[in-house]
Amino acid sequence: MSDGAGRREADLPANGPGTPDSRAASAGPDAPAGPRDSAAPGGPSASGGPAVPGGPAFSGGPTASGDPDAPGDPAPPGDPGFCGDLAADAKLLAGYAAETERRLALLPARPDRTAAEAERAEGLHEDCRAVRHAFLARHADAVYDELTAGRTLRPRLPDLAAEAAVRFPGLVPDAAQLAAEGERLQAHKEGRAIDQGIFFGALLRSPTAGTHLIESMLRPAPGSAARLAEFRRTDRLELPAVLLERRGEGAYVTFRNGHCLNAEDDRLISDLETAVDVALLDDRIRVGVLRGGPVTHRRHAGRRIFSAGINLKELHAGRISFVEFLLGRELGYVNKLARGLLHEGPAAAGATTAGKPWVGVVDAFAIGGGMQLLLVLDRVIAEEGAFLSLPAADEGIVPGLGNLRLTRLTGARTARQVILAGRRIRTSDPAAALLVDEVLPAAALDAAAERAVRELAGPAVAANRAMLTLAEEPLELLRGYLAEFAVVQARRIHSPDVLAKTERHQARSGRAPA
């Protein structure tokens, strides 16, 4: 699989990033490698070496004198002189990253850079990313074991990244860098999420680390157990963006992001994971139901809407997080809908998952992330006149795991029409039968949802849906897709076309970011 920078692990130098060069040896094992200040994007390095596709070429580490700006033969692409020892290579990475940050700090903030300064900054970032790729290609499993105490701990994505920033400086953005990035519009960010994507992509690419990470994210989120106690007392859980109610054996999850057509943002994603956790943990619940609540948007006020997908206003404002939302959504509540929660037994038995069937009730439309949800549900009931779409071609980002899951439901041709050309599937379209089980008048949706709960509450349903998931989406298939997705999506949210589209959407809305 591609490492997201257009290079594959097999394309690393034959003598490996762990082969120290004479310059690194003469400069001492702790001498930081120095990134070059500028290069033509995508062009060859000063020595004629290969470029990193998607960015300027890496042009080498320290010279024999130890001066990173002095002339000398460059190191192999992405290799500041790694020797194969984790501690020693981590020092080289930290030194290289620190030198990159020093040079970036000499440039103006991103929105104030000239074209030449922007090119120089991008070159510095890409050089350092090549080094991170090379470091992780050699040490991903060792890094993960270090961060998880030999896979005895199961940190969630944000905690894992935070710990990596402390133990392996320069590998991922630290707290200060993330705080500074969080205050900027998306177009003004340095692209720190790309470095996070490189990190998680490398971990997911490993069968050992990646499997453990996926399983870890199937554990209940922090706070879910406490919420379970509240839900069991009242049969109702009110979260800022989600309402969870119990009716008989059904858990009814209602999206309440009505100001933005139930579009997804960081708050909704967090609340949905809590609600899904509670429904899965409560042994009184046999079936879950997802539905959008009434919205307050002026064009649809008072009407139920399933979901408008990602909140582009929040993306433009820089408030859509990569780790918590774009990656955490797929590894968190969406994967829990598909696979259930992780149950860890004795060492001999290993870890297993336990899930429940889920029903989706689509009022009006399910766009983007809303349609992605339907692909993991066991029954979909839609209002007459509703439509489904994955506007990836328009938004410019990858539609989550839609690319992995849609084809097996619709076939390749229809999937390409939906994802690559923006085709909408309306309930009157013959193709809707591939995605929707029932199409009914709005007044009949409540009764249909209750009927679906009764029909899916049988004791054998959960076991059989688990076997269907195993056959349709083996863990190895999921892991391989997520490894690529982590890197590609991180780059897409910082790509010029996506930034331009969010700017146009913001201009059309006529509102400045809050």
Side-chain angles (χ1 to χ4, degrees):
M1 285 197 173
S2 165
D3 62 11
R7 303 169 66 212
R8 299 177 182 271
E9 292 181 27
D11 295 331
L12 293 171
N15 54 356
T19 304
D21 62 17
S22 59
R23 293 166 296 100
S26 64
D30 296 336
R36 54 97 172 92
D37 278 316
S38 65
S45 69
S47 67
V52 178
F58 176 84
S59 62
T63 62
S65 65
D67 178 2
D69 292 321
D73 293 332
D79 180 4
F82 290 142
C83 66
D85 176 78
L86 177 62
D89 288 354
K91 286 184 179 180
L92 283 174
L93 170 65
Y96 194 99
E99 177 63 12
T100 296
E101 296 301 325
R102 182 188 73 79
R103 297 189 185 195
L104 285 169
L106 299 176
L107 298 171
R110 182 169 179 176
D112 301 323
R113 291 170 188 161
T114 65
E117 289 167 340
E119 181 181 351
R120 186 173 303 127
E122 186 65 14
L124 290 168
H125 278 304
E126 287 299 326
D127 283 353
C128 201
R129 287 166 188 155
V131 171
R132 292 185 182 105
H133 275 297
F135 176 82
L136 287 165
R138 178 173 290 272
H139 296 297
D141 280 335
V143 166
Y144 190 77
D145 280 351
E146 182 76 17
L147 298 175
T148 61
R151 285 171 280 127
T152 61
L153 303 176
R154 289 192 178 276
R156 289 173 61 83
L157 298 179
D159 299 326
L160 191 65
E163 188 68 12
V166 173
R167 295 204 193 185
F168 298 94
L171 183 57
V172 291
D174 61 27
Q177 290 169 333
L178 290 177
E181 198 88 326
E183 296 175 355
R184 298 168 178 153
L185 296 176
Q186 190 70 16
H188 296 173
K189 296 181 186 291
E190 287 290 340
R192 306 290 184 185
I194 298 174
D195 306 323
Q196 294 175 319
I198 291 169
F199 172 67
F200 285 113
L203 297 185
L204 288 162
R205 194 170 292 114
S206 161
T208 302
T211 300
H212 190 270
L213 178 55
I214 291 171
E215 291 177 346
S216 297
M217 287 298 292
L218 290 176
R219 298 183 72 198
S224 292
R227 294 292 194 175
L228 172 64
E230 176 185 345
F231 182 64
R232 290 185 67 87
R233 286 195 307 271
T234 65
D235 289 338
R236 183 180 177 90
L237 180 62
E238 291 203 47
L239 302 169
V242 170
L243 172 64
L244 175 64
E245 301 171 286
R246 183 178 82 89
R247 295 178 223 153
E249 294 182 303
Y252 291 77
V253 179
T254 304
F255 313 152
R256 298 198 302 180
N257 235 10
H259 68 286
C260 59
L261 302 177
N262 289 323
E264 294 181 315
D265 52 29
D266 279 33
R267 177 74 268 171
L268 180 60
I269 295 303
S270 175
D271 287 352
L272 279 171
E273 182 160 17
T274 299
V276 169
D277 281 348
V278 170
L280 290 170
L281 287 167
D282 192 333
D283 56 11
R284 301 172 302 167
I285 300 300
R286 304 295 290 272
V287 182
V289 179
L290 301 179
R291 191 174 186 184
V295 304
T296 58
H297 189 281
R298 61 185 181 274
R299 290 179 56 192
H300 304 276
R303 183 182 183 188
R304 279 185 180 267
I305 286 176
F306 191 74
S307 177
I310 191 170
N311 189 323
L312 292 177
K313 178 184 176 183
E314 291 289 287
L315 180 58
H316 174 269
R319 294 193 289 257
I320 295 294
S321 63
F322 173 73
V323 172
E324 288 87 348
F325 182 146
L326 293 170
L327 188 56
R329 173 186 188 276
E330 307 307 331
L331 282 161
Y333 91 93
V334 178
N335 203 28
K336 289 174 179 178
L337 291 174
R339 285 176 162 76
L341 294 177
L342 182 74
H343 287 204
E344 294 183 277
T352 60
T353 57
K356 297 175 181 179
W358 289 88
V359 178
V361 180
V362 179
D363 298 89
F365 50 75
I367 298 174
M371 181 176 176
Q372 293 167 33
L373 288 180
L374 306 182
L375 306 181
V376 298
L377 304 185
D378 302 286
R379 184 169 301 182
V380 177
I381 304 163
E383 176 188 12
E384 289 179 343
F387 72 85
L388 319 177
S389 72
L390 290 175
D394 179 57
E395 293 173 351
I397 59 178
V398 179
L401 272 72
N403 306 60
L404 176 66
R405 294 169 172 153
L406 183 61
T407 299
R408 68 171 176 254
L409 295 177
T410 66
R413 293 269 61 83
T414 300
R416 278 164 169 74
Q417 292 165 13
V418 170
I419 293 172
L420 305 183
R423 174 183 171 184
R424 290 182 173 184
I425 304 294
R426 300 187 179 277
T427 53
S428 57
D429 188 328
L434 302 172
L435 297 163
V436 176
D437 297 283
E438 295 181 79
V439 177
L440 300 167
L445 295 179
D446 286 337
E450 293 172 1
R451 184 176 66 254
V453 169
R454 292 194 299 270
E455 293 174 355
L456 294 174
V461 172
N464 279 291
R465 78 181 297 271
M467 298 304 291
L468 283 170
T469 299
L470 180 64
E472 293 171 349
E473 190 178 286
L475 187 60
E476 282 301 288
L477 176 64
L478 174 69
R479 183 182 61 77
Y481 182 95
L482 285 169
E484 193 74 7
F485 170 80
V487 187
V488 173
Q489 188 76 306
R491 287 190 174 274
R492 290 308 304 156
I493 61 171
H494 291 290
S495 62
D497 62 300
V498 170
L499 299 178
K501 286 168 183 173
T502 60
E503 188 65 39
R504 289 195 296 271
H505 179 271
Q506 186 64 29
R508 286 196 302 270
S509 73
R511 297 188 298 273

